[in-house]
């Protein structure tokens, strides 16, 4: 990627990040000892950007100072000026920095009472103990002073350096770490449960035998790939979009258009929560916001060619601000490639022998992976030839785990996944914010339900049903859940652009089966993750409204999220529309999820409805690959 290209939405370069930090430290010497969690482009006003691509680059840096106070600074890197610097309220603090996470591990490891609790369990070799710090889920230990930042540390035991420590949870032991005071304030000990013994390695060397290698599938594109990339601008089959990595949201898409018709301006993960539903003392309090508390972008992986990504791949690197103010490059952070996707359309004319028209579908994949603690999440955006856009989240990694004990664990809340281990019931709920720009204008939101018609003279046999659409005109009307029995969908409409049949152009939001939040609305997770109460919310665009659970969520009790954002009940009847889509998985762990979980999927589709006048792939030429072989040839 060239360093000097200047589109306002280009990915931040390494030199821009180091320049920004230098400017910040030059204007405020106190930041020599600050630790950082976030840098991102302050994206320019989208109206300004429409007619002007030569704009100054402004970034936002977030972190915590030496006294654990959060700060947020805006820096003009084009002019090397510090524009603003504000303290972040300690009621709702910024994302944990890696310095705090490592600090919590170190403080726990060095705590005498923690070491004594380990000794009670027969554990003396600290080098084999793995400590995982967790946010408190909105529950604050009584010994943590109001306004201080904190983490809880739980522990696991390895039998060697390369071992999977999650096989041996150290049950009943939680260290409460006050990050502001830099000390362990309590060792919570619920009693000794035998540490499980069986190993659960998932690497090659950890398996007794490996099955025979399946036959190779080689994906080659001898004529080259069908897409082109310039900086972070991707073009493919009429689609144009930009991709970037935001420290909190992870992979974000910008200015998505098809045949020069805008669809949405920006889409990214606004928040995410993993509430646990078990009564086990190791888990009941967990409800981590993996985005705003840890950061999908900060935890993004470098992808490996041929392993993570198969075929003809184009990679984009991302640069992040490390906790110490240096720049880290995540090589191969975003993977771009094409995939064959089976049949796009087909008809076999039964009246004419041999008249068989078939066209193949393909999709462009823009993806990334982030590892947050024991879980790994793939963010996969797919663009299809027929105008469909799909977001798929891939969930994998290692499930939360406890040493099984019949007095602690309850069927229905804790699932035995091996003879020694139980894994608690929990949810993974994602919220994606989409800033629509459908057909370049103001948009409306409709809900469609399909309902049976009453039996009467017009419907004497009760065979009839109909689609009933209603215009959602206020924020309060647009807080809705899926209803599979009514085939419920929502439609984003441009009322000022009509298609050939005279209806406004539109895209519909189509979910699969997806849960909403199960925590009580008055519980800390219920308040902090209120965004997950509804599958859809809608708001009129406001630049600062980016996070469904509030801009900063560390130690907060529910301020600033979608409930507060929509409390004014603003008019959305025709506006610069933003939808907030909640979806996810309620996870009942199974033996097959151990020792590492096969990928589980969730997400949604955005499908054109009258955006085109007919099947937009009708003009696809037939392509019957001569390289395919069968048992007959
Ligand atoms: Cu899970």
């Amino acid at each position: 990627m060239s360093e000097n290209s200047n589109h306002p939405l280009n990915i931040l370069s390494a030199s821009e990040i180091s320049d920004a930090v230098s400017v910040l430290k030059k204007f405020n010497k106190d930041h020599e000892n600050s630790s950082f969690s976030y840098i991102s482009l302050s994206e320019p006003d989208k109206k300004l950007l429409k007619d002007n691509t030569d704009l100054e680059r402004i970034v936002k840096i977030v972190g915590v100072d030496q006294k654990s106070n959060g700060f947020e600074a805006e820096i003009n890197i084009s002019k090397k000026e510090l524009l603003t610097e504000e303290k972040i309220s300690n009621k709702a603090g910024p994302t944990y920095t890696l310095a705090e996470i490592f600090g919590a591990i170190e403080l726990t490891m060095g705590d005498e009472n923690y070491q004594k609790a380990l000794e009670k369990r027969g554990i003396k070799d600290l080098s084999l103990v793995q400590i995982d710090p967790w946010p408190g889920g909105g529950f604050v230990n009584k010994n943590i002073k109001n306004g201080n930042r904190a983490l809880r540390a739980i522990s696991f035991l390895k039998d060697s350096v390369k071992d999977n420590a999650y096989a041996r949870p150290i049950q009943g032991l939680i260290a409460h770490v006050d990050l502001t005071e830099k000390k362990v304030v309590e060792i919570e000990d619920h009693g000794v449960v035998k540490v499980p013994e069986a190993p659960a390695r998932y690497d090659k060397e950890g398996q007794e035998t490996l099955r025979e290698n399946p036959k190779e599938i080689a994906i080659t594109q001898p004529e080259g790939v069908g897409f082109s990339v310039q900086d972070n601008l991707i073009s493919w089959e009429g689609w144009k979009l930009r991709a970037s990595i935001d420290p909190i949201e992870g992979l974000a898409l910008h200015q998505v258009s098809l045949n020069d018709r805008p669809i949405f301006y920006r889409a990214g993960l606004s928040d995410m929560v993993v509430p646990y539903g078990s009564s086990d003392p190791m888990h009941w309090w967990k409800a981590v916001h993996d985005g705003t508390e840890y950061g999908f972008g900060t935890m993004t992986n470098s992808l490996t060619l041929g392993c993570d990504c198969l075929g003809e791949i184009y990679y984009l690197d991302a640069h992040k601000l490390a906790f110490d103010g240096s720049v880290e490059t995540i090589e191969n952070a975003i993977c771009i490639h094409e995939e064959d996707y089976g049949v796009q359309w087909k008809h076999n004319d039964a009246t004419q022998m041999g008249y068989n028209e078939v066209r193949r579908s393909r999709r462009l994949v823009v993806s990334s992976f982030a590892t947050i603690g024991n879980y790994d999440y793939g963010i996969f955006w797919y663009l299809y030839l027929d105008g469909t856009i799909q977001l798929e989240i891939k969930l994998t990694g290692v499930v939360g785990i406890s040493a099984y004990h019949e007095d602690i664990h309850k069927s229905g809340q804790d699932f035995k996944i091996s003879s020694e281990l139980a894994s608690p019931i929990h949810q993974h709920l994602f919220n994606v914010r989409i800033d629509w720009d459908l057909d370049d204008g103001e948009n409306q939101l409709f809900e469609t339900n399909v309902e049976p018609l009453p039996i009467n003279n017009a419907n004497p046999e009760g065979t009839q049903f109909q689609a009933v659409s209603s215009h959602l005109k206020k924020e309060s009307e647009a807080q809705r859940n899926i209803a599979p029995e009514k085939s419920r969908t929502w439609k984003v409409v441009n009322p000022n652009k009509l298609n050939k049949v005279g209806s406004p152009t539109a895209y519909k939001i189509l979910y699969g089966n997806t849960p909403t939040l199960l925590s009580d609305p008055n519980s800390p997770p219920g308040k902090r993750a209120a965004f997950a109460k509804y599958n859809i919310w809608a708001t009129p665009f406001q630049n600062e409204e980016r996070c469904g659970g509030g801009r900063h969520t560390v130690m907060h009790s529910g301020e600033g999220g979608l409930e507060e954002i929509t409390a004014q009940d603003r008019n959305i009847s025709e506006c610069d529309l933003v939808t907030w889509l909640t979806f996810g998985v309620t996870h009942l762990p199974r033996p097959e999820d151990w020792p590492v979980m096969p990928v589980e999927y969730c997400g949604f589709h955005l499908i054109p409805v009258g955006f085109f006048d007919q099947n937009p792939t009708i003009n696809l030429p037939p392509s019957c690959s001569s390289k395919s072989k069968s048992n007959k040839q």
Side-chain angles (χ1 to χ4, degrees):
M1 199 172 57
S2 78
E3 290 268 314
N4 54 9
S5 51
N6 59 0
H7 189 275
L9 295 178
N10 271 353
I11 290 175
L12 279 176
S13 71
S15 60
E16 285 179 315
I17 296 175
S18 57
D19 283 356
V21 176
S22 304
V23 172
L24 180 67
K25 288 184 173 175
K26 187 179 135 199
F27 282 87
N28 186 344
K29 305 274 184 232
D30 289 348
H31 287 310
E32 283 304 330
N33 297 311
S34 292
S35 66
F36 301 95
S37 60
Y38 180 95
I39 190 165
S40 187
L41 203 56
S42 291
E43 290 167 24
D45 181 272
K46 56 186 171 182
K47 289 197 185 85
L48 197 65
L49 186 54
K50 260 188 183 159
D51 335 290
N52 196 342
T53 54
D54 186 21
L55 297 168
E56 287 171 353
R57 299 270 278 179
I58 294 169
V59 295
K60 201 175 272 178
I61 288 184
V62 178
V64 291
D65 66 19
Q66 209 177 357
K67 292 180 182 150
S68 278
N69 295 312
F71 65 86
E72 183 170 281
E74 260 199 326
I75 293 138
N76 182 325
I77 37 180
S78 309
K79 288 189 172 163
K80 301 206 170 12
E81 276 175 11
L82 176 65
L83 301 176
T84 58
E85 186 180 349
E86 281 168 24
K87 244 186 163 188
I88 298 171
S89 156
N90 55 11
K91 280 188 183 160
T95 311
Y96 291 105
T97 71
L98 281 176
E100 291 176 308
I101 295 166
F102 295 142
I105 295 170
E106 228 171 88
L107 288 165
T108 304
M109 208 62 106
D111 185 78
E112 228 172 80
N113 292 329
Y114 174 74
Q115 292 171 5
K116 278 185 196 153
L118 289 182
E119 266 175 45
K120 272 207 295 193
R121 291 160 169 86
I123 302 163
K124 290 192 180 128
D125 185 354
L126 289 179
S127 72
L128 294 176
V129 174
Q130 175 183 311
I131 295 176
D132 283 16
W134 278 74
F139 300 94
V140 183
N141 181 280
K142 58 184 185 307
N143 301 320
I144 308 275
K145 270 195 213 138
N146 203 3
N148 283 5
R149 289 165 70 80
L151 281 166
R152 298 177 177 205
I154 58 174
S155 313
F156 305 86
L157 186 65
K158 298 180 187 191
D159 68 0
S160 64
V161 180
K162 259 197 114 180
D163 190 30
N164 172 16
Y166 295 117
R168 295 186 199 84
I170 301 173
Q171 185 69 23
L173 187 58
I174 303 168
H176 294 268
V177 186
D178 186 323
L179 301 170
T180 308
E181 312 262 328
K182 298 193 172 43
K183 63 178 185 192
V184 175
V185 295
E186 188 186 337
I187 298 293
E188 195 180 319
D189 193 341
H190 295 270
V192 176
V193 174
K194 187 174 164 281
V195 179
E197 286 173 356
R201 295 264 298 262
Y202 48 82
D203 58 338
K204 185 174 74 177
E205 290 75 26
Q207 311 313 310
E208 272 175 30
T209 53
L210 285 178
R211 69 169 76 178
E212 207 175 303
N213 221 349
K215 298 257 190 297
E216 185 187 0
I217 296 178
I219 298 166
T220 57
Q221 294 187 273
E223 295 164 12
V225 297
F227 58 90
S228 64
V229 183
Q230 190 191 4
D231 297 324
N232 66 340
L233 174 66
I234 306 161
S235 310
W236 178 75
E237 294 289 338
W239 289 98
K240 276 202 182 87
L241 65 147
R242 287 181 182 272
S244 71
I245 297 278
D246 176 272
I248 288 176
E249 299 162 289
L251 178 60
L253 299 188
H254 310 258
Q255 296 185 310
V256 176
S257 69
L258 181 51
N259 304 333
D260 294 322
R261 291 169 70 187
I263 296 172
F264 59 75
Y265 184 76
R266 193 183 191 288
L269 209 48
S270 105
D271 211 329
M272 189 272 177
V273 67
V274 193
Y276 281 69
S278 167
S279 64
D280 183 333
M282 302 307 288
H283 302 293
W284 66 263
W285 44 270
K286 286 180 179 173
V288 54
H289 289 234
D290 280 338
T292 43
E293 290 188 308
Y294 280 153
F296 280 91
T298 305
M299 306 295 187
T300 289
N301 296 179
S302 279
L303 300 169
T304 320
L305 185 63
C307 309
D308 287 300
C309 318
L310 196 61
E312 305 252 343
I313 306 297
Y314 192 103
Y315 283 121
L316 291 177
D317 296 343
H319 309 284
K320 70 176 185 185
L321 173 55
F323 70 91
D324 61 358
S326 64
V327 183
E328 265 178 36
T329 296
I330 309 170
E331 285 189 30
N332 304 349
I334 302 173
C335 167
I336 302 160
H337 73 285
E338 277 178 296
E339 279 178 1
D340 179 90
Y341 197 62
V343 170
Q344 174 73 65
W345 59 262
K346 172 185 165 81
H347 187 57
N348 192 53
D349 190 332
T351 65
Q352 298 178 46
M353 287 289 286
Y355 184 69
N356 178 38
E357 289 290 332
V358 57
R359 301 291 182 274
R360 292 203 67 82
S361 168
R362 63 170 66 192
R363 61 188 186 182
L364 183 77
V365 189
V366 183
S367 68
S368 74
F369 252 101
T371 303
I372 299 165
N374 47 314
Y375 261 99
D376 299 72
Y377 297 107
I379 303 177
F380 280 64
W381 286 96
Y382 301 109
L383 305 171
Y384 293 85
L385 297 173
D386 67 357
T388 297
I389 302 169
Q390 182 188 358
L391 172 64
E392 182 177 81
I393 303 284
K394 301 191 187 198
L395 300 92
T396 178
V398 184
V399 290
I401 205 77
S402 266
Y404 176 76
H405 194 287
E406 57 189 12
D407 295 343
I408 301 170
H409 295 118
K410 302 185 177 108
S411 67
Q413 285 179 291
D414 308 283
F415 297 88
K416 267 193 108 168
I417 58 163
S418 79
S419 59
E420 299 176 297
L421 298 169
S423 181
I425 194 166
H426 61 277
Q427 299 189 286
H428 304 257
L429 297 169
F430 304 85
N431 184 273
V432 168
R433 173 186 178 276
I434 303 180
D435 174 4
W436 290 90
D437 188 19
L438 191 72
D439 249 346
D440 199 14
E442 303 220 306
N443 296 142
Q444 298 177 323
L445 184 66
F446 283 77
E447 175 173 300
T448 302
N449 290 290
V450 180
E451 296 167 358
L453 282 160
I455 296 179
N456 55 27
N457 286 343
N459 179 28
E461 304 298 337
T463 56
Q464 300 178 32
F465 42 89
Q466 65 173 353
V468 180
S469 287
S470 49
H471 183 189
L472 308 176
K473 295 179 182 154
K474 301 190 85 176
E475 287 177 312
S476 60
E477 294 171 16
Q479 295 167 2
R480 306 287 294 161
N481 287 335
I482 61 158
E485 74 285 5
K486 294 186 173 183
S487 300
R488 180 173 295 162
T489 55
W490 297 279
K491 207 157 68 169
V492 174
V493 166
N494 186 327
N496 301 309
K497 298 277 164 71
L498 300 183
N499 56 31
K500 211 169 167 182
V501 293
S503 35
T505 58
Y507 256 70
K508 75 176 169 190
I509 299 162
L510 185 68
Y511 277 119
N513 193 15
T514 185
T516 50
L517 187 69
L518 291 165
S519 315
D520 186 272
N522 293 315
S523 67
K527 288 181 188 159
R528 286 162 51 83
F531 67 84
K533 272 168 51 175
Y534 300 112
N535 292 126
I536 189 167
W537 308 64
T539 56
F541 174 81
Q542 281 295 324
N543 194 33
E544 65 278 12
E545 294 171 1
R546 281 269 287 271
C547 295
R551 173 73 177 88
H552 304 293
T553 64
V554 168
M555 308 305 287
H556 95 335
S557 49
E559 298 84 358
L562 272 170
E563 274 199 328
E564 201 173 295
I565 289 171
T566 59
Q568 303 163 60
D569 202 11
R570 290 167 294 186
N571 186 330
I572 53 160
S573 61
E574 191 173 336
C575 66
D576 183 358
L577 185 74
V578 176
T579 57
W580 308 71
L581 308 179
T582 303
F583 58 92
V585 168
T586 300
H587 191 175
L588 284 57
R590 46 186 186 130
E592 290 85 347
D593 288 337
W594 191 251
V596 65
M597 185 184 153
V599 168
E600 186 158 350
Y601 305 90
C602 61
F604 57 80
H605 289 75
L606 306 172
I607 298 170
V609 183
F611 186 78
F612 300 104
D613 290 329
Q614 61 169 352
N615 180 346
T617 62
I618 197 71
N619 59 357
L620 266 180
S623 64
C624 300
S625 168
S626 59
K627 297 211 176 69
S628 294
K629 292 184 202 158
S630 79
N631 61 325
K632 303 280 178 67
Q633 287 168 326

